[in-house]
Amino acid sequence: MRLDFLRGERLPNIWCPGCGNGIVLHALLEAIDQLQLDPDKVVLVSGIGCSSRAPAYTAFDNVHTLHGRAIPVATGIKLANLDLTVIVVTGDGDSSAIGGNHLIHAARRDVNITVVVFNNYNYGMTGGQASPLTPISSITTTTPNGNLDRPFDLVKLAAGAGATYVARSGIYFTKHLVDHLRKAIAHDGFSLVDAVAQCPTYFGRFNKKGSAGQMVTSQKDWMVLKSVAEKKTPEELAGKIIIGEFVNIERHAPVSAAAPKEQA
Amino acid sequence: MRLDFLRGERLPNIWCPGCGNGIVLHALLEAIDQLQLDPDKVVLVSGIGCSSRAPAYTAFDNVHTLHGRAIPVATGIKLANLDLTVIVVTGDGDSSAIGGNHLIHAARRDVNITVVVFNNYNYGMTGGQASPLTPISSITTTTPNGNLDRPFDLVKLAAGAGATYVARSGIYFTKHLVDHLRKAIAHDGFSLVDAVAQCPTYFGRFNKKGSAGQMVTSQKDWMVLKSVAEKKTPEELAGKIIIGEFVNIERHAPVSAAAPKEQA
Amino acid sequence: MPEKKTFKITHNRKWCKNCGICVAVCPKKVFKIDRNDRHAIVNPQDCIGCQMCVEHCPDFALAVEEVKNE
Amino acid sequence: MPEKKTFKITHNRKWCKNCGICVAVCPKKVFKIDRNDRHAIVNPQDCIGCQMCVEHCPDFALAVEEVKNE
Amino acid sequence: MSEKMVLMQGNEAVTEGAIAAGVRFYAGYPITPSTEIAEIMAKRMPQVGGTFIQMEDEIASIMAIVGASMAGKKVLTATSGPGFSLMQEGLGYACMVEAPIVILDSMRYGPSTGMATKVSQMDLMQTRWGTHGDHWVIVLSPSSVEESYQLTIRAVNLAEKYRNPVIVLSDETISHLREPIDTSISPTIVDRRLPTEKAGYLPYKTDESLVPTIANVGTGFRTSFTGLVHSESGFQTANGHVAEALVERLRDKLFNNLDDIIQFETDRVEDADILFMSFGITARGVSEAVESLRSHGRKAGSLRFITLFPFDDDRVRKAAGNGRTIVVPELNSGQLVLLVKRVFGDSRKVVPMNKINGDLISPQEILSFLREENL
Amino acid sequence: MSEKMVLMQGNEAVTEGAIAAGVRFYAGYPITPSTEIAEIMAKRMPQVGGTFIQMEDEIASIMAIVGASMAGKKVLTATSGPGFSLMQEGLGYACMVEAPIVILDSMRYGPSTGMATKVSQMDLMQTRWGTHGDHWVIVLSPSSVEESYQLTIRAVNLAEKYRNPVIVLSDETISHLREPIDTSISPTIVDRRLPTEKAGYLPYKTDESLVPTIANVGTGFRTSFTGLVHSESGFQTANGHVAEALVERLRDKLFNNLDDIIQFETDRVEDADILFMSFGITARGVSEAVESLRSHGRKAGSLRFITLFPFDDDRVRKAAGNGRTIVVPELNSGQLVLLVKRVFGDSRKVVPMNKINGDLISPQEILSFLREENL
Amino acid sequence: MSNDNRFELRMTGSGGQGLILGSIILAEAAIMEGKIVTQSQVYGAEARGGTTKAELVISNKHIAYPKVTDPDLLAAMTNEGLKQYGGGISRKTEVIIDSSVMSAPDFLDEENCRGLLALPIRSTLISRLESELGLNIVLLGIIEGLTAIVEVEILRKAIAMHVKKQFLNLNMKALDLGMEMVEAQAKTGIRI
Amino acid sequence: MSNDNRFELRMTGSGGQGLILGSIILAEAAIMEGKIVTQSQVYGAEARGGTTKAELVISNKHIAYPKVTDPDLLAAMTNEGLKQYGGGISRKTEVIIDSSVMSAPDFLDEENCRGLLALPIRSTLISRLESELGLNIVLLGIIEGLTAIVEVEILRKAIAMHVKKQFLNLNMKALDLGMEMVEAQAKTGIRI
Ligand SMILES: Cc1ncc(C[n+]2csc(CCOP(=O)(O)OP(=O)(O)O)c2C)c(N)n1
Ligand SMILES: Cc1ncc(C[n+]2csc(CCOP(=O)(O)OP(=O)(O)O)c2C)c(N)n1
Ligand code: SF4
Ligand code: SF4
Ligand code: SF4
Ligand code: SF4
Ligand code: SF4
Ligand code: SF4
Ligand SMILES: [Mg+2]
Ligand SMILES: [Mg+2]
């Protein structure tokens, strides 16, 4: 990772000790570096949330927008200047709660931007409320007795909306994460990476996930590579999250190409 | 259909001659009749659009809300009084453009309401603009050179968001439509029916689809029953819309049960 | 061979918008839209009571009932 | 058997938040969090340059470079 | 002080007030500095047999409480500036369908995301004019934790009585302040009037109160609601006369009852030659400043707006006594002062005092201000 | 009149004005009565090398134009009341990041969905106070098709010059009215100032103009934008002094230039003893009424607000002459009149004249009103 | 044209009759002659397929109030149209109705209008030109015949700008037909 | 307590030290004695894990202005805390610092505060109770020792309402420790 992609003068960052956001940011900067993009032509756009503070630590043009609204701003920037690489940095709440509509519409339009979801399964910024990605039964400040609502599967949601590149990774698997971020950015069309990170301060603490270090290394235990998962039975996969590339199709291909089997 | 489900004093309706909305409404009332629901306990909630005027012609409690906002109002009503059968009447624009976020979140929560999308592939009320369901290349007033954006596949979108009952039908196939509306209402959990109807005034006229009668009967030509489609090749299905039941699973089943194959 | 059933077609002129859908869907050409762009019942005797017209009329303007001749 | 490589570990105390993630991910137990809850490099000589600590440090506080001894 | 006093945070007092008033449905979306209201409601609603739902955003939140209100529940949502901006379309809808709802807006520093954890009073005018179209809302402004409790009860009561949205305009300081409050006194509760006769039922037909007796959905009355201009039947019409009558009634149902709705708190206004007009948290610095001025022989007085809207020029004029100079301290660039100026024109000296750095106006600052301005 | 006159609808004039002013990006969502603007832009933008995009809603629309503006485009969106309510959060954001954007709001009858195809002037105060937090916008109000063209150009210029949102407040009647306009005169075009030196670049540092010279994204300056309170560097801070300075600058960059921004049209104000104050379409009925009153020997005059906000009491006072009576006709329950009352207090007789049935105020109605009110 | 130089026209009928286009064509002709115009119409969902109204004000000088308040001419092409938008006329107003689709309304007399001209517009169009298209242009012909508000040749130019080539001829004939009907009105029309 | 019956306390330190809870406990004790209190704190994202401030006003009568403007007591548990929230003190203010984590700041003297009490709070807690928990309660003990603002027994009751059973004993000892430290301050503390 090129250190000059960071605004050193603004560090240390505001994140809590052990917050996963820095790890995703690190991977993102590494992916940008690997692609050898002209840093003058990279724009990071974010919403509101802990994760959405990430762009302001980078040396690129960066736009911290409103809660949930990074994607339409990114769409405006991209359409106004097609030379730019526009990357949206967003949280699970920012992208899938208040910003859910923009997410599915960007996927549908196949606008050539990349959305990186810093997914910590809760609203970190406001103190650990449930997000649409919070697993069932998890404790948050707004689900004191355990979450009753089912979460979205962000991969399915994006795919269902027509995204042409969708991947999921976790911060433990840094190479995997960088690879998929790189492919997503390079993808010609709408791309999304669900990057699972930890919020030790709230989600971790409320759900007894241990220290930040434990939250990082435990990803080994509950994440399964897609290639591995394909050889496993549903029982073996119970409670596991599968990581890898789920959709990678040509831009503006007939929608049926991405059609889940059961629906066509 | 029980005629006393209609408010005769408010007819004729405001719809254009040959508008498909009346046919969907007819089918919906028939489905409600078949289920022998207590009419005092049925509430129809709609957004804004030609289609969203339908509830006000019925003799049930009915709530004409804001553009895109029928689903959260319906959610509030349902959660406030679980005894009620709450049905959302909405347009393709109302449900999938401005109201897209509420749609996916209601599907995710599996709130026990039924969403009936009167899908005429455009914004009728405001004069025939493109909607998120307008097919590629179609002419509308905001796509004078043909629509460039891909449409959503509403079935995939709802399934991707976690809906536990999703079906599609067309106004030509009235029995099929009534059957699926009935099943959707009876379904314990979130249900959605994509009911394809005609807007002869705008979408039909701009895209040379012929008279209202032709638009109705031509559904025979470009709609294929799911059971039939399963025996066809992708080539044979090109340009066709498949109708039938796409998702019908237990409420709050583990999400993986609805997982498109390619994603798990 | 069963006796041929007969049907009574009720048309509500106040609600009808003369859109022609019933004309298009009726398998027996019972209706037409006349020269004044008005809905007309032209072959009621051919009606087989299939309800296609009723179910497809967007304006709730049609009813078709079997005439029981006891 | 190839010569054992040696690595220089740079730790930026100003940015480090002593979160312990490097401790958890390092396969060689190079770091620990000391009694004052402070990050400490305890076994630098064991470092194999795998970069796990660098890539997982959320605060950009670590760098590990091979020391070329020509 | 008694055994019954409990230390409570402002946000908690709102939830307890709401529950005491009968609120049994809360929909919301977290936002600083109102978040604790959602968090406490998540715990409390199930305990009292109510429903808590966290919605996908603030638009959904206000629409969900409108729906629940139509179904007969007393309802609340809470938010802050950015979320309140998103609720504006829904707020107008609630005015139009006459759904009783209560919205708490805890003001933080704006514009935009501004400073989420700092106090301001910058949303005052937005409560009145945020949504499009002619409409009227009731806006109440607490200045303490105790009053957060009391005014939330009052807000629910007024919403039900007038079938109108009521906004409780709080702020970051009050939201997070802890003070002892007495919750043991059982409050007066007002319930919406419901129709009894199905025959001839017209949901928007009113008696002289001008407040409609609309049935709750699901009770067999088969009501039609719409945000479009509608006649007494509840059905849409484009008739200009009906439109005019409807909008006028929406105003008059409140303006005919200003005595019931409008409350001020006054302190030694009668003989004051310097009068402070303020609302909310700012009034507490004022109160101490007045005390101090009086103790130094200066005839100071205070008028605190408990009800901010409807704002009635005549009542303000009457309540204001004859003080030559009116000082209007507020945590914004001048909003309340615009209203006060309208009331008094050139007949009094109206002096704005504004602070927009995210802190409160202290009594000392008020005293210095008077000195600097030679007041 | 010349060969160059073309019959144009108000909405079309807006699009042609925008294109003449250099607008090359339009994002919007259809809504009556502004829909034709989107429809025409869908055709026209590709013809002039610009971009048209229909977004999923009005929130996305305003955010998309903010993004495109940051990337250097001149931008427009158009909407009406319900959509304008949804845009409020984004509007505050544009104020805070100082993105030049132009929003057209064509007023229809409210509140809520109201009567979509009927005219009103009910969104006036919303343009000023719709979003939360202290903020300032420029609001221009055309009263004809010709002026829809001219003021759209002016709106784009002012937005670029002051890096501030500008609202063109039109209405259903003007939107759909057709009048001949002359588009052959090439308009003056203002472009935003851009920085030249990368060294020491601070996006929000300003010279005495108080308007920042922010680089367009993608031009190598690596700017940071945020809706949070930010220092000259563009980065967030919770420093109260910085906050205060920022909000004051947002005000002063406009208020130091009121001569440039504020325009009235006056007609025989000097000797008028009855003065009409109005804006937009209502001013045209006024104009004919004044003519008629003068022809009957009555000293009538008119002040029409072309710029509605910033609203400067002093300038209004000066422009108003000495007429004893001021009549304020408007298509709402009284909004402009509140501002006028603030300016004149009890020093003049300020008489509201309101019409809220979805029709215009005709000259005849004004004359009858004067008779009925004994004015 | 009334003495104050302002000519006010209101046309009402049903959605598909092209009255709005007719008013635009006349407006453009007036502009070509250097006149000022304001054209407006009822708008929107409520009017879909239903009753419509088009208004035009023509003047030699600046037009302040843009709507018709006291029409010089009211043309009603359907009963519904006359019912909905027939109000607001005065003794200054000449009323035209299409007697082939409606009968002369009894509420109109010398007291409240200047005159009523009942012409069988639609039927004449169908019988003479064997077309249903061009009703709005026949009406323009009638208006032109009655008022000579613009030069006929300029009116033709304006029509040509708005109709497809293949229908140009038909529309010119329609215009002529309208003017003829006025000329012949003493014989065929009813005028009160 | 100052003569106007109003006692103002400000505590500052780092996020995890429990100062806000400490202020709430003291507030509740005061309420039990029939006093009026207002308790507040800095709030929010910016303060996460970082520096914090808790304020308490206690009075026998209605408290109008709810924030501390002229503290009677300022307790700073970290250097950062003192730097950020040490302003606004006066000659009325008694300052307490934890000398085990910070040195006596040179900007404090008789000119700008009433006195400075430097006590090795954290280190004493660790050495005497072998715990890192209870720092806030030790501080409460010190405050109580200095001001006797509430009855000790009531303070104990308030503490008991807020701590888990298994830590109750430890916290009571922490309170005692704080009070002891004040008693012993002539010997162990530095007071300017
Ligand atoms: C309109 C609006 N509503 C609510 C908020 C408050 N808010 C700020 S961030 C946030 C959630 C952040 O969660 P997520 O996107 O998951 O980011 P994280 O902090 O977890 O990284 C919320 C609710 C806001 N700023 N604006
Ligand atoms: C906030 C808001 N934006 C826009 C509109 C304008 N509008 C009304 S209906 C509609 C689209 C309707 O399309 P659809 O939902 O497909 O219904 P249809 O008329 O086709 O049945 C739009 C854009 C509105 N009423 N409110
Ligand atoms: S609250 Fe959670 S997401 Fe936010 S900075 Fe702390 S650990 Fe990270
Ligand atoms: S515009 Fe289209 S959708 Fe609307 S009523 Fe007419 S035909 Fe139906
Ligand atoms: S389908 Fe119905 S409305 Fe249409 S012509 Fe037939 S009867 Fe009339
Ligand atoms: S019931 Fe069937 S056969 Fe009879 S008229 Fe209707 S469509 Fe024709
Ligand atoms: S991972 Fe980084 S921040 Fe955490 S302890 Fe190690 S060096 Fe410090
Ligand atoms: S590079 Fe690898 S071995 Fe070396 S310190 Fe880091 S994690 Fe440990
Ligand atoms: Mg999150
Ligand atoms: Mg539609």
Side-chain angles (χ1 to χ4, degrees), chain C residues 11 15-22 33 39 56-59 61-62:
Chain C
H11 177 247
W15 293 359
C16 171
K17 298 201 188 107
N18 310 299
C19 70
I21 289 177
C22 52
I33 297 296
H39 176 276
H56 287 92
C57 171
D59 292 283
L62 285 168

Side-chain angles (χ1 to χ4, degrees), chain F residues 74-323:
Chain F
K74 294 186 180 179
V75 301
L76 175 72
T77 191
T79 189
S80 180
F84 192 52
S85 287
L86 288 172
M87 288 184 181
Q88 290 305 328
E89 196 199 9
L91 177 63
Y93 179 72
C95 291
M96 194 63 151
V97 296
E98 300 179 65
I101 63 169
V102 177
I103 303 165
L104 180 127
D105 174 24
S106 178
M107 290 180 286
R108 60 191 230 182
Y109 192 98
S112 198
T113 35
M115 297 193 295
T117 60
K118 296 289 179 83
V119 67
S120 91
Q121 298 183 304
M122 292 178 174
D123 303 352
L124 169 61
M125 290 298 251
Q126 187 192 23
T127 62
R128 173 69 186 93
W129 301 110
T131 191
H132 64 281
D134 281 354
H135 68 283
W136 290 269
V137 289
I138 297 173
V139 182
L140 308 179
S141 152
S143 74
S144 69
V145 174
E146 171 79 35
E147 207 177 27
S148 296
Y149 178 79
Q150 297 299 350
L151 283 189
T152 304
I153 296 174
R154 197 166 135 71
V156 176
N157 286 344
L158 290 172
E160 296 286 322
K161 181 167 179 184
Y162 295 108
R163 294 199 67 105
N164 209 81
V166 179
I167 296 160
V168 180
L169 190 61
S170 187
D171 62 61
E172 190 279 330
T173 297
I174 297 172
S175 279
H176 292 143
L177 190 66
R178 284 190 182 81
E179 296 186 302
I181 81 169
D182 185 348
T183 59
S184 65
I185 308 151
S186 32
T188 313
I189 299 299
V190 178
D191 293 320
R192 62 184 75 170
R193 287 191 305 160
L194 294 172
T196 45
E197 272 296 322
K198 285 187 191 172
Y201 168 64
L202 287 171
Y204 289 90
K205 194 175 164 66
T206 62
D207 57 16
E208 67 290 343
S209 77
L210 301 186
V211 180
T213 43
I214 303 170
N216 296 330
V217 301
T219 59
F221 281 80
R222 320 279 189 94
T223 309
S224 236
F225 294 90
T226 181
L228 294 170
V229 165
H230 46 269
S231 64
E232 292 180 339
S233 68
F235 290 105
Q236 179 269 332
T237 171
N239 182 313
H241 300 296
V242 174
E244 188 174 358
L246 171 59
V247 170
E248 284 178 352
R249 183 174 64 69
L250 292 179
R251 180 191 60 213
D252 293 341
K253 73 175 178 178
L254 302 184
F255 278 73
N256 288 351
N257 293 291
L258 294 182
D259 284 336
D260 184 39
I261 297 168
I262 293 185
Q263 292 185 332
F264 307 109
E265 183 186 66
T266 54
D267 179 15
R268 288 166 279 184
V269 162
E270 304 71 29
D271 67 339
D273 56 39
I274 183 147
L275 178 66
F276 295 94
M277 291 200 177
S278 64
F279 71 102
I281 190 66
T282 301
R284 295 183 67 168
V286 165
S287 167
E288 218 165 289
V290 166
E291 207 62 61
S292 166
L293 287 164
R294 285 275 171 180
S295 77
H296 291 85
R298 184 77 196 273
K299 286 190 178 154
S302 158
L303 184 156
R304 174 168 75 89
F305 291 88
I306 299 174
T307 306
L308 283 162
F309 296 104
F311 187 98
D312 181 56
D313 293 19
D314 288 338
R315 278 178 177 72
V316 174
R317 214 172 280 121
K318 258 176 238 154
N322 303 308

Side-chain angles (χ1 to χ4, degrees), chain H residues 25 137 140 155-163 171-172 175:
Chain H
I25 289 172
I137 306 297
L140 283 193
L155 188 51
R156 286 193 204 281
K157 233 168 102 182
I159 292 170
M161 280 162 53
H162 281 276
V163 302
N171 278 290
M172 290 306 157
L175 185 72

Side-chain angles (χ1 to χ4, degrees), chain A residues 96 101 105 150 156 162 263, chain B residues 96-97 101 105 150 156 162 263:
Chain A
S96 78
N101 208 26
H105 279 274
R150 291 180 312 168
K156 281 178 207 157
Q263 289 169 24
Chain B
S96 78
N101 208 26
H105 279 275
R150 291 179 312 166
K156 281 178 205 156
Q263 289 169 25

Side-chain angles (χ1 to χ4, degrees), chain C residues 9 25-28 30-31 46-54 64:
Chain C
I9 304 171
V25 298
C26 174
K28 293 295 167 188
V30 170
F31 309 110
D46 293 350
C47 174
I48 54 170
C50 68
Q51 300 290 332
M52 286 290 278
C53 58
V54 176
V64 175

